[in-house]
Amino acid sequence: ASPAPAGSPAGSPAAAPSPSPGVPRPEILAGAISADHHLVAFLVVNPPGAPGTVALRLVDALNPGAAPTDAWQGGAPPSGHAEVVPLAEGRFLFKVPGRFEPPDTSTRGVGVIDPAAATKLVRSATENQFLNQFHSEWPETKDLRLPSALPAADGRVDGPGEVVAARSRREVDTPLVRRTLLQLVIGKQGENGTRVLCGGGDDFIPAAFSPDGHVLGLTLGTASYILDVSGDRGATELFQGRILDWRP
């Protein structure tokens, strides 16, 4: 058997009991742990007590009994890929799906959270504005290395050594069958080509790579799985809940 991957994935708690009829269930979109491992930040849709919204919540990892703090809140986003990225000094960069007025073609909004600030959202912009201008101007992100735009893929997750994983949908239309084939693909930053890691009827969502880049954490429904990126083994269920981040 292969040795256990370095580090342990940090996950959300197991799913809570079903909410009352008509009240949408909370869903965690993305999360990350601060560099000093003191704070966990996560984006959640329909947080308890605020259905129809999305919030960036902070949890003190050293005080598990403490209630989460809302650092930012907005209207429920459209479907899309969300991200939370740890920055220096306990700050976080987050990206959440959104719709914006033309001519801005951005599909996500970007913000910077400073847990120590009175107003915790200290920067905000559309993703196009961030990439074209503010990334190099904001003091919190000017030293952050941006990943290459290639390969362009849905739900892309970047890992160590410039490895990336993403989802792919391929339409199969033959005289005998017509279906959508869901695939997990893997590639390298800066390269357009990818290879299929696995395919089938399950809509796995890439969540995070292990620190050594050999294992990919996945989410399917309310459960999390791990997958050897060599492709020699199938996905193995890890726990009920969602992988948010994976650190040594």
Side-chain angles (χ1 to χ4, degrees), residues 34 39 58 69 71 89-92 113-122:
S34 62
L39 282 177
L58 301 173
T69 300
E89 299 181 19
R91 301 184 181 99
F92 294 92
I113 295 296
D114 184 349
T119 302
K120 293 181 172 28
L121 180 67
V122 294

Side-chain angles (χ1 to χ4, degrees), residues 21 51-52 78 85 93 119 126 134 145 232:
V85 179
L93 173 74
T119 302
T126 68
F134 294 126
R145 179 175 176 266
D232 293 338

